[in-house]
């Protein structure tokens, strides 16, 4: 089962977190990542972040990336949103 952990952090303190499960393996890994990110943003009531080259590179290397204020259009009340694949 594909699982992604989404965390909101401010001043190195965890404010919110959630785990999204994707049991549908007919989707590609990329589709599962985007659907999981959409579900995380919906649960946290956030707009979806913009993927910058640094995010793509980090995610490809470590299956983990952070979205900061630069990735969002609206103002954030936290330091960053971090996503991490925890099980494939």
């Amino acid at each position: 089962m594909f699982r992604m952990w989404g965390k909101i952090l401010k001043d190195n303190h965890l404010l919110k977190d959630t785990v999204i499960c994707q049991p549908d393996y007919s989707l590609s890994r990329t589709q599962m990542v985007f659907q999981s990110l959409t579900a995380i943003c919906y649960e946290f009531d956030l707009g979806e972040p913009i993927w910058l080259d640094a995010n793509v590179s980090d995610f490809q290397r470590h299956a983990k990336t952070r979205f900061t204020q630069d990735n969002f259009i609206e103002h954030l009340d936290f330091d960053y949103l971090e996503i991490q694949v925890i099980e494939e």
Side-chain angles (χ1 to χ4, degrees):
M1 178 179 299
F2 181 89
R3 295 188 319 153
M4 182 179 282
W5 186 17
K7 303 177 271 189
I8 290 181
L9 291 103
K10 182 172 184 168
D11 299 327
N12 292 324
H13 292 282
L14 182 66
L15 300 179
K16 296 180 188 177
D17 73 326
T18 187
V19 175
I20 302 297
C21 300
Q22 294 286 343
D24 184 8
Y25 275 99
S26 66
L27 301 174
S28 70
R29 184 176 191 267
T30 304
Q31 289 172 321
M32 288 191 282
V33 167
F34 287 136
Q35 283 187 1
S36 297
L37 180 59
T38 299
I40 289 168
C41 290
Y42 181 79
E43 190 165 323
F44 292 156
D45 194 27
L46 288 174
E48 287 191 45
I50 299 166
W51 286 79
L52 302 176
D53 291 338
N55 299 108
V56 173
S57 176
D58 285 346
F59 196 79
Q60 287 173 341
R61 285 190 201 138
H62 310 292
K64 174 180 178 178
T65 192
R66 291 180 177 177
F67 298 105
T68 61
Q69 180 65 59
D70 295 340
N71 300 92
F72 290 91
I73 295 171
E74 69 270 7
H75 176 72
L76 302 178
D77 294 332
F78 53 87
D79 293 336
Y80 57 88
L81 165 67
E82 182 175 277
I83 60 170
Q84 178 179 3
V85 175
I86 54 176
E87 184 179 330
E88 286 192 70

